[in-house]
C-alpha cells in the first residue's frame, strides 16, 4: 500500500533535512548575545528611552517659564512712579503697601508730588466723584458750635452740613466742599463736618439751619436738591493735628483745611510709606506708633500727593504745613 500522503517524503541516499532547526537556533543565539550587550553597557536599559517631545538636556524649550541665566541677570528696573496704586490697603500698625515696597527711591518720591490724573475725574474718589451730580433731599439741624463726627471742633463757619452715612464713607467726605442747588435756581456752598445717620438716606444732606434758610424757609422741613463736589478757591493751607493721647508709641493723625477730600494718609518709616487706617471720626491711626512724629504724606482724591516734614507729636496742637492741594 502506498504511504500516507501526510508523511514527509525522503530523498534517496540523504538524511533528513535539518536546515530550519539550525537556523532558528542560530537566530536565537544572536538575539541573546545582542540583548546581553545592550543590558550591560553603561546607561543601557529601558530608562534611556526619551519620551516623544521631551527636551534634550541643556536645550531651551520655546515658551518655557524658566528663564535662562542670561535672562535672570537682567532684572527689571525698579518703578519710580508715584502714581496711585490700586493695590490692597494695608492695615495700621506697620504693614507696608506693595507700592511702598517697590519704591526704590522714597526720598525722591517724597520730594515731588505725583502728577494728577489727566482726566481730572478723581481716581481715588469713592462714592462722591468730581463732575457728578447727585439728587437727594435736604433737611436741617441745629449745628450748635459746629462740632461734629469729623472731629474738626468748634467753628464760626455756619455754612456746614452733615452727610448721610452711605456717602460719608467712613469719614472720607469730611472736609469736602459741596454745592447745593434747588429747582428754583438758588444755590449755596457748604463744608461737610458731620455725619447724618439713619434715617438719612443716600443722597441726603442735613444742612445747618443757617444754610437751609438760604434755600427755603425752615418751616418747609424737607426740600429736593441736587448737589455736587467742589474744589474751591481758598487762601488757607492744610494743617495737621495729633489726637489726644498720641505719643511715639501710638498716635492718631488728622488733616484740617484741605481743599479736596483726603483719600489717604501715610507715614514714612524705614524708607517706606505706611498707609494708616482711617476711622469714622476722621483720624488716621498708627496703632503701634509706626511713623508717629515723622514725615506725613497726604493724597487727595485726584491723586496729588503732598509730603510734609517736621510735624512733632503735640496732641491737639494745630500745626500748619504751608501747602495745599491744587484746585480742580
Amino acid at each position: 500500500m502506498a504511504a500516507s500522503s501526510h508523511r514527509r517524503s525522503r530523498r534517496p541516499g540523504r538524511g533528513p533535512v535539518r536546515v530550519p532547526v539550525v537556523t532558528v537556533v542560530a537566530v536565537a543565539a544572536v538575539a541573546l548575545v545582542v540583548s546581553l550587550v545592550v543590558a550591560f553597557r553603561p546607561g543601557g536599559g529601558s530608562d534611556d528611552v526619551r519620551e516623544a517631545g521631551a527636551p534634550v538636556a541643556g536645550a531651551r524649550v520655546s515658551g518655557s517659564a524658566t528663564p535662562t541665566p542670561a535672562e535672570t541677570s537682567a532684572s527689571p528696573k525698579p518703578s519710580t512712579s508715584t502714581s496711585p496704586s490700586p493695590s490692597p490697603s494695608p492695615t495700621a500698625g506697620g504693614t507696608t503697601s506693595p507700592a511702598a515696597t517697590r519704591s526704590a527711591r522714597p526720598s525722591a518720591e517724597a520730594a515731588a508730588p505725583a502728577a494728577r490724573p489727566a482726566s481730572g475725574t478723581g481716581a481715588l474718589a469713592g462714592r462722591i466723584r468730581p463732575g457728578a451730580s447727585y439728587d437727594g433731599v435736604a433737611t436741617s439741624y441745629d449745628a450748635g458750635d459746629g462740632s461734629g463726627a469729623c472731629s474738626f471742633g468748634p467753628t464760626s463757619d455756619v455754612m456746614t452740613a452733615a452727610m448721610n452715612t452711605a456717602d460719608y464713607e467712613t469719614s472720607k467726605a469730611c472736609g469736602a466742599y459741596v454745592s447745593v442747588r434747588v429747582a428754583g435756581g438758588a444755590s449755596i456752598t457748604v463744608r461737610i463736618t458731620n455725619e447724618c445717620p439713619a434715617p438719612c438716606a443716600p443722597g441726603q444732606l442735613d444742612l445747618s439751619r443757617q444754610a437751609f434758610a438760604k434755600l427755603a424757609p425752615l418751616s418747609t422741613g424737607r426740600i429736593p436738591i441736587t448737589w455736587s463736589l467742589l474744589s474751591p478757591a481758598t487762601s488757607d493751607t492744610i494743617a495737621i493735628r495729633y489726637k489726644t493721647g498720641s505719643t511715639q508709641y501710638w498716635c492718631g493723625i488728622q488733616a484740617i483745611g484741605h481743599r479736596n477730600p483726603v483719600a489717604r494718609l501715610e507715614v514714612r518709616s524705614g524708607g517706606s510709606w505706611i498707609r494708616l487706617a482711617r476711622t469714622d471720626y476722621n483720624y488716621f491711626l498708627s496703632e503701634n506708633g509706626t511713623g508717629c512724629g515723622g514725615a506725613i504724606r497726604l493724597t487727595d482724591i485726584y491723586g496729588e500727593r503732598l509730603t510734609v516734614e517736621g510735624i512733632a507729636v503735640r496732641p491737639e496742637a494745630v500745626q500748619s504745613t504751608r501747602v495745599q492741594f491744587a484746585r480742580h
Side-chain angles (χ1 to χ4, degrees):
M1 181 177 290
S4 172
S5 61
H6 292 285
R7 183 176 298 177
R8 183 182 297 271
S9 65
R10 298 187 182 184
R11 295 180 182 181
R14 299 185 61 180
V17 179
R18 301 181 183 276
V19 174
V21 176
V22 173
T23 302
V24 171
V25 173
V27 171
V30 172
L32 177 61
V33 172
V34 172
S35 62
L36 291 174
V37 171
V38 172
F40 289 100
R41 71 180 178 88
S46 60
D47 291 342
D48 188 54
V49 180
R50 189 162 45 245
E51 184 179 350
V56 178
R60 182 179 176 185
V61 181
S62 177
S64 172
T66 305
T68 64
E71 291 172 323
T72 56
S73 63
S75 58
K77 295 180 180 179
S79 170
T80 57
S81 170
T82 57
S83 59
S85 172
S87 41
S89 304
T91 59
T95 303
T96 58
S97 66
T101 304
R102 288 195 300 269
S103 176
R105 289 176 284 189
S107 59
E109 185 181 17
R116 295 183 297 276
S119 63
T121 58
L124 297 179
R127 290 177 58 89
I128 306 174
R129 303 191 62 82
S133 293
Y134 300 89
D135 295 325
V137 296
T139 50
S140 67
Y141 79 108
D142 182 3
D145 63 2
S147 299
C150 292
S151 305
F152 289 137
T155 178
S156 58
D157 179 9
V158 294
M159 299 300 289
T160 60
M163 182 65 75
N164 66 84
T165 297
D167 295 323
Y168 183 77
E169 207 171 357
T170 316
S171 79
K172 194 169 188 176
C174 286
Y177 289 87
V178 174
S179 174
V180 184
R181 298 175 297 280
V182 293
S187 67
I188 58 173
T189 297
V190 295
R191 186 169 66 103
I192 305 302
T193 60
N194 207 350
E195 177 185 10
C196 183
C200 273
Q204 182 172 348
L205 292 176
D206 206 20
L207 306 176
S208 69
R209 290 179 178 176
Q210 296 88 335
F212 188 98
K214 291 184 179 293
L215 298 176
L218 289 175
S219 58
T220 308
R222 186 181 182 92
I223 55 176
I225 58 170
T226 300
W227 56 273
S228 57
L229 184 68
L230 291 178
S231 178
T234 179
S235 58
D236 293 339
T237 57
I238 298 173
I240 296 295
R241 176 164 57 195
Y242 276 94
K243 196 177 186 309
T244 301
S246 293
T247 67
Q248 61 179 320
Y249 306 108
W250 178 95
C251 66
I253 308 174
Q254 180 187 56
I256 305 171
H258 40 87
R259 187 198 311 266
N260 307 318
V262 174
R264 296 174 180 169
L265 187 149
E266 299 162 286
V267 293
R268 190 163 58 203
S269 177
S272 297
W273 287 104
I274 314 300
R275 182 177 172 183
L276 301 186
R278 187 172 208 153
T279 67
D280 58 2
Y281 52 90
N282 197 32
Y283 273 88
F284 295 82
L285 298 186
S286 177
E287 298 282 5
N288 63 2
T290 300
C292 295
I296 299 171
R297 185 166 72 180
L298 303 171
T299 305
D300 71 0
I301 61 172
Y302 297 94
E304 181 180 7
R305 289 173 174 171
L306 300 175
T307 301
V308 293
E309 309 267 2
I311 304 296
V313 181
R314 295 167 53 198
E316 290 303 314
V318 176
Q319 303 181 64
S320 176
T321 65
R322 300 191 297 277
V323 294
Q324 181 61 270
F325 292 124
R327 188 181 183 188
H328 292 263

